[in-house]
Amino acid sequence: MSTGNIIAETSGLAIGYRISRRVFTVMSNLSLQAKQGELVALIGRNGTGKSTLLRTLVGLQPSLGGVVSLAGTGLHDIGPSRLPRIVSFTSTEPLAVRHIRVRDVVALGRFPYTNWIGALTSSDEDAVSDALEATGITSLAERSIDNISDGERQRTLIARSLAQDTGLLVMDEPTAFLDLPSRYAIVSLLRRLTREKGKCVVYSTHDLDTAVNEADRIWLMTGEGVAEGAPEDLILKGIFEKAFESPLLSFSSSSGTFSFIRGRETAIALEGTGKTARLTEKALGRCGYKTDPRAGIKVVVGERDGETRWTLVDGDRSTVFGSLYDLVNSLPGDAGQ
Amino acid sequence: MRPPEKRMTLAMSGLFILMILLFFADLLLGSTRLEASDVIRSLLGQGTPGGEIIIMQFRLPKALTAILAGAAMSVSGLLMQTLFRNPLAGPDVLGVSSGAGLGVALTLLTITPLISLPEGSAFAGWGIIIAAWAGAGAVMMIIMVVSTHMRDIMTVLIVGLLLASAVSAVVTLLQYFSNEAMLRTYVIWTMGNLGNISYPQIRALALSTAAGLVISFVMVKPLNAMLLGETFSRTVGVRMQRTRVVLLAASSILAGSVTAFCGPLAFIGVAVPHIARLLLGTTDHRWLMPGVALSGAVIMLLSDIISSVPGGGHIIPVNTVTSLIGIPVVLWIILGRAGLGRRF
């Protein structure tokens, strides 16, 4: 694992809002770190202050106490013209325009480097092309932002951030509104940027799966503060379970994922092996059955004429089914509830 | 040159040529028939005395005013649309023209008769302009405050509407207490008029339009950043507070000066930026700014020609023409884009 320089660090940071003279502290005493070449996922339930933390980190809103330092310099000592060369920020703010070309959006990332009129030099043009290529949207460059998919639009914003050529990229929910494959594609793109370009990417997300699987470091916001560490560290310490504690969910430490708790469960025996048996167990679980070899009723997975068949054995009665759907719909009792 | 740039250069050249052609058409056409050779000779000071008076005293100032007013109103609308992130923003829609009108009404109906200044004096020029700036600026500031608290486009538009109504109520009250001559001056002013403007006034209009356009053009870089939102602009180093004040001043100067001399020109400010975006196919203010100015000049010249040509003798108020051109564009924005898409 890389041991890059610390690019973002907070110590004793308090975040929140000042509205006229009243102070609303969202969270205090945050001491966090992010290093070059790291993918950092910021996770937390709604309303825990993820956006507030990110906005404080990039200097969009003042902290209520403590210190933020970026690239070794305190945020307050970084001049307004240098800050945009150290950190870029992608928010969920909608664009004001409809007919803007992808290339023009990305080119606006060069803002801190261009002259008074915003003319691109050849090195700016190169940076724009590189950013388009790194995010895989070179072929979309001349398209209007309204004629591309949500995932491609997110790539455009990432490319813009990349064109800004900062060591630290902060992104507020880059995977919001995306479908599962696009979410994975975006997070793996972010990860690739940390590996190939040495960037540090800090992003907030609600998507635990990708974060646990891809992030080097997790900042997990709980009611008490932010826990920090490798995803597996946080799982081992049981912090995930505490952060997302809910009577409806159970956390699997082995996979690092949550699943629904089904309530009362009925025992059922299962005979069979391989993928079919695992999926059968899953289907039974969804209907409130827990596999137990000692149970009175039994499902036997087998094959007949090259087709998978399920046989439900209840005492001396046995019924054969051709699909899991038919099987679970003829299970006895109200166990399904 | 990339294809988009080629298209933009082509569109701009086309607009420029069109502007020159329409400028001469505006000089040529009118209630009195003049030959093209008369027009050119009059411009060079070698025409017949009658032709020279028509060209130099009536048509030339009118055509020059059309160019200045069209460019200024349109660029003012462009600034407001980007500033408020509102495709339907414009000097008249947001009540800025009405604000300028209030300034003018106050000077025309109260101050001028009080100190009984001679018509066409220096004060009548700059005094009215400054009053219009103040009125426009005041309304812009109210809209600005509202739009920072309310993101909703409709809310801001409704506030603009209410402001315009409030202002016109005050103006009605002023009219009630003013004499007939002043009233007539004021009513003619509200119809929009490119003609009734003297050379000193044109100079004042040209100077303030030039100032407004220069300030606007200096702001193209932050304006482009603002297309991607306020948060983005701030994180790339745009000083939003300062930028807002400068844009507010520039659009008030542009809309205020035109409104002072030509009356509240309807729909030019809202419609022309959209026409220019369509023609140039860009949202980049570096191209859009001159493109909008040229389109505004072209459309204003066209409106002026239409308003004075038909039938001869009669002149229909130029506001009627600009409304007939502008309203379809505004309708197209509202209807053609799935309601108010919150975007351009």
Side-chain angles (χ1 to χ4, degrees):
Chain A
M1 202 48 245
S2 65
T3 48
N5 296 322
I6 294 169
I7 191 157
E9 191 170 23
T10 74
S11 60
L13 178 68
I15 57 170
Y17 296 88
R18 271 196 192 91
I19 297 172
S20 54
R21 250 171 254 140
R22 293 165 66 197
V23 176
F24 300 89
T25 308
V26 173
M27 214 165 262
S28 55
N29 208 20
L30 303 177
S31 296
L32 301 162
Q33 269 190 1
K35 286 181 178 173
Q36 246 166 23
E38 269 187 349
L39 180 63
V40 181
L42 172 62
I43 299 175
R45 298 182 70 161
N46 286 332
T48 46
K50 293 194 293 294
S51 293
T52 311
L53 174 57
L54 294 184
R55 292 174 64 86
T56 310
L57 202 62
V58 300
L60 275 173
Q61 67 183 78
S63 67
L64 301 179
V67 182
V68 174
S69 38
L70 302 178
T73 314
L75 194 54
H76 292 289
D77 300 323
I78 303 174
S81 58
R82 234 189 95 210
L83 187 60
R85 299 174 185 223
I86 294 175
V87 59
S88 66
F89 183 63
T90 309
S91 70
T92 48
E93 183 181 38
L95 303 184
V97 276
R98 176 185 278 261
H99 298 296
I100 187 165
R101 269 185 294 275
V102 167
R103 180 189 295 278
D104 293 344
V105 174
V106 177
L108 276 171
R110 298 302 295 169
F111 192 97
Y113 305 93
T114 53
N115 63 2
W116 69 275
I117 200 173
L120 300 179
T121 63
S122 62
S123 73
D124 291 322
E125 295 277 12
D126 290 346
V128 171
S129 305
D130 287 351
L132 287 167
E133 200 175 312
T135 48
I137 51 170
T138 307
S139 59
L140 305 174
E142 304 301 330
R143 294 261 286 275
S144 159
I145 193 91
D146 245 40
N147 296 333
I148 59 177
S149 72
D150 287 341
E152 290 164 343
R153 197 166 308 135
Q154 204 54 56
R155 279 170 192 274
T156 306
L157 296 183
I158 294 170
R160 187 200 70 196
S161 209
L162 211 53
Q164 206 177 323
D165 197 21
T166 55
L168 175 63
L169 284 74
V170 178
M171 302 183 183
D172 198 3
E173 303 219 19
T175 57
F177 315 117
L178 298 184
D179 59 20
L180 191 66
S182 314
R183 283 209 298 266
Y184 263 96
I186 292 294
V187 175
S188 69
L189 165 66
L190 295 180
R191 186 180 164 83
R192 220 179 60 231
L193 297 179
T194 65
R195 293 301 181 272
E196 289 171 9
K197 305 211 177 255
K199 306 283 185 192
C200 172
V201 178
V202 176
Y203 76 105
S204 67
T205 185
H206 282 289
D207 191 11
L208 282 184
D209 272 4
T210 48
V212 165
N213 288 324
E214 301 287 325
D216 298 304
R217 193 194 283 264
I218 283 188
W219 294 350
L220 180 58
M221 288 192 123
T222 64
E224 290 105 60
V226 182
E228 187 185 35
E232 296 76 13
D233 283 334
L234 300 183
I235 294 172
L236 281 175
K237 289 182 192 155
I239 298 174
F240 268 107
E241 283 165 89
K242 230 164 68 200
F244 292 91
E245 208 165 37
S246 155
L248 292 173
L249 292 175
S250 79
F251 186 75
S252 153
S253 329
S254 54
S255 67
T257 54
F258 284 89
S259 54
F260 278 111
I261 293 174
R262 307 283 173 197
R264 192 165 58 88
E265 286 176 322
T266 314
I268 192 165
L270 177 64
E271 252 176 48
T273 52
K275 187 167 128 196
T276 319
R278 276 203 306 281
L279 283 172
T280 308
E281 186 173 354
K282 184 174 177 295
L284 292 169
R286 175 156 48 83
C287 300
Y289 285 88
K290 192 181 174 158
T291 54
D292 183 348
R294 295 160 301 170
I297 53 174
K298 184 166 79 175
V299 173
V300 181
V301 181
E303 219 175 83
R304 189 186 297 168
D305 309 329
E307 303 264 344
T308 310
R309 291 280 182 270
W310 289 266
T311 313
L312 179 65
V313 185
D314 188 0
D316 46 7
R317 271 196 305 137
S318 78
T319 329
V320 179
F321 298 97
S323 73
L324 280 170
Y325 182 85
D326 292 336
L327 170 71
V328 298
N329 276 307
S330 22
L331 288 170
D334 61 348
Q337 307 305 306
Chain B
M1 224 190 291
R2 290 192 293 123
E5 279 164 16
K6 218 168 167 179
R7 171 180 172 185
M8 292 188 284
T9 316
L10 208 69
M12 296 271 270
S13 323
L15 280 170
F16 186 74
I17 293 167
L18 196 59
M19 182 178 82
I20 303 290
L21 289 178
L22 286 172
F23 179 73
F24 283 108
D26 202 17
L27 293 181
L28 190 64
L29 301 169
S31 45
T32 310
R33 270 191 63 126
L34 288 175
E35 296 301 320
S37 52
D38 290 339
V39 172
I40 293 167
R41 248 181 267 125
S42 299
L43 283 176
L44 298 171
Q46 298 159 356
T48 57
E52 209 164 300
I53 285 177
I54 291 176
I55 293 295
M56 299 309 282
Q57 295 303 312
F58 294 99
R59 293 194 190 164
L60 183 62
K62 202 156 62 89
L64 288 174
T65 307
I67 289 177
L68 289 171
M73 283 307 258
S74 311
V75 170
S76 174
L78 174 68
L79 298 184
M80 290 181 196
Q81 289 177 3
T82 304
L83 180 62
F84 298 125
R85 310 186 55 152
N86 190 332
L88 284 182
D92 47 342
V93 181
L94 293 182
V96 176
S97 294
S98 306
L102 178 61
V104 173
L106 281 172
T107 18
L108 279 184
L109 301 178
T110 63
I111 299 171
T112 315
L114 271 183
I115 48 178
S116 63
L117 274 160
E119 186 92 11
S121 69
F123 176 82
W126 285 103
I128 284 179
I129 268 201
I130 290 166
W133 289 351
V139 172
M140 277 294 279
M141 260 185 296
I142 297 173
I143 297 285
M144 179 89 79
V145 170
V146 173
S147 71
T148 47
H149 291 286
M150 304 277 175
R151 261 287 129 78
D152 189 48
I153 285 176
M154 290 312 290
T155 314
V156 177
L157 291 179
I158 290 167
V159 169
L161 215 70
L162 291 176
L163 277 174
S165 302
V167 165
S168 74
V170 174
V171 171
T172 310
L173 204 67
L174 284 175
Q175 288 174 339
Y176 194 76
F177 293 107
S178 40
N179 68 43
E180 206 175 311
M182 286 300 160
L183 207 58
R184 186 160 352 107
T185 319
Y186 181 75
V187 170
I188 290 171
W189 175 85
T190 58
M191 287 176 184
N193 191 347
L194 301 172
N196 226 347
I197 179 165
S198 63
Y199 277 109
Q201 287 176 327
I202 289 185
R203 193 160 53 233
L205 180 61
L207 279 175
S208 38
T209 300
L213 291 180
V214 167
I215 299 173
S216 307
F217 200 74
V218 168
M219 301 305 282
V220 291
K221 193 181 172 186
L223 279 168
N224 278 339
M226 285 166 78
L227 292 177
L228 299 193
E230 188 187 333
T231 304
F232 169 75
S233 306
R234 285 178 61 196
T235 55
V236 290
V238 177
R239 289 177 196 159
M240 282 307 290
Q241 211 56 38
R242 208 176 64 180
T243 304
R244 278 210 196 89
V245 170
V246 173
L247 291 176
L248 185 146
S251 52
S252 302
I253 288 175
L254 288 169
S257 316
V258 175
T259 310
F261 294 130
C262 311
L265 293 179
F267 294 104
I268 287 293
V270 202
V272 173
H274 292 283
I275 296 172
R277 280 190 199 99
L278 208 67
L279 283 175
L280 299 180
T282 187
T283 47
D284 185 342
H285 289 80
R286 278 178 290 168
W287 291 89
L288 213 47
M289 193 79 72
V292 165
L294 281 176
S295 311
V298 162
I299 287 170
M300 212 57 221
L301 282 169
L302 198 65
S303 305
D304 187 44
I305 292 171
I306 295 173
S307 79
S308 52
V309 155
H314 295 288
I315 290 180
I316 44 176
V318 75
N319 255 350
T320 316
V321 184
T322 59
S323 300
L324 287 177
I325 296 176
I327 288 173
V329 176
V330 174
L331 269 177
W332 165 70
I333 302 162
I334 298 174
L335 300 176
R337 311 198 159 190
L340 279 181
R342 280 165 215 285
R343 292 180 291 171
F344 302 131

